[in-house]
């Protein structure tokens, strides 16, 4: 079970770091889109990015100390559920042009939930 937990943790950490770094730095199209399309403040976008980067760090450390990995994956799950709610409020799931990008938080929320379960079972 530990191998599955490690694989999921590494995948989620890489995705979380790749998604969080631009938001934390407020660089690129994604942070600008979150501010213009979703109406989020720059400070909130930066907070989300820092939370995603912290989750990536927690997931990597969690490979050696599983309680931290579980907490990081659980926090990432909550963050991604929040993203799903924001996309739903913005109407992204009904719009064919934005539906594809809006599906990513759903898939990643499932991966992060699976990571929580596998890390817990590997203890």
């Amino acid at each position: 079970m530990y191998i599955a937990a490690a694989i999921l943790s590494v995948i989620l950490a890489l995705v979380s770091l790749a998604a969080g770094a631009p938001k934390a730095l407020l660089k690129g199209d994604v942070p600008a889109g979150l501010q213009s399309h979703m109406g989020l403040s720059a400070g909130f976008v930066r907070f989300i990015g820092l939370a995603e980067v912290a989750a990536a760090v927690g997931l990597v450390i969690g490979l050696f100390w599983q309680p931290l990995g579980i907490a990081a994956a659980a926090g990432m799950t909550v963050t991604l559920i929040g993203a799903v709610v924001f996309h739903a409020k913005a109407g992204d799931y009904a719009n064919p042009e934005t539906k594809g990008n809006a599906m990513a938080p759903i898939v990643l929320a499932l991966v992060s939930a699976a990571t929580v379960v596998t890390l817990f079972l590997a203890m």
Side-chain angles (χ1 to χ4, degrees):
M1 187 59 68
Y2 180 77
I3 293 172
I7 291 169
L8 287 171
S9 292
V10 169
I11 290 170
L12 190 59
L14 291 172
V15 170
S16 182
L17 183 63
K23 292 175 195 156
L25 299 172
L26 296 176
K27 303 266 184 193
D29 295 337
V30 172
L34 290 172
Q35 292 175 53
S36 63
H37 177 67
M38 299 270 190
L40 303 178
S41 69
F44 191 56
V45 172
R46 179 170 276 140
F47 173 77
I48 293 167
L50 291 172
E52 290 174 342
V53 170
V57 172
L59 285 161
V60 171
I61 295 171
L63 293 171
F64 306 100
W65 188 46
Q66 288 171 315
L68 182 60
I70 292 168
M76 192 65 193
T77 303
V78 171
T79 302
L80 290 164
I81 290 170
V84 171
V85 170
F86 272 96
H87 280 289
K89 285 183 179 181
D92 290 342
Y93 296 110
N95 185 347
E97 293 177 12
T98 58
K99 186 176 183 178
N101 289 339
M103 294 304 289
I106 294 173
V107 172
L108 291 173
L110 294 173
V111 171
S112 63
T115 304
V116 171
V117 171
T118 56
L119 282 169
F120 183 76
L121 292 175
M123 287 184 78

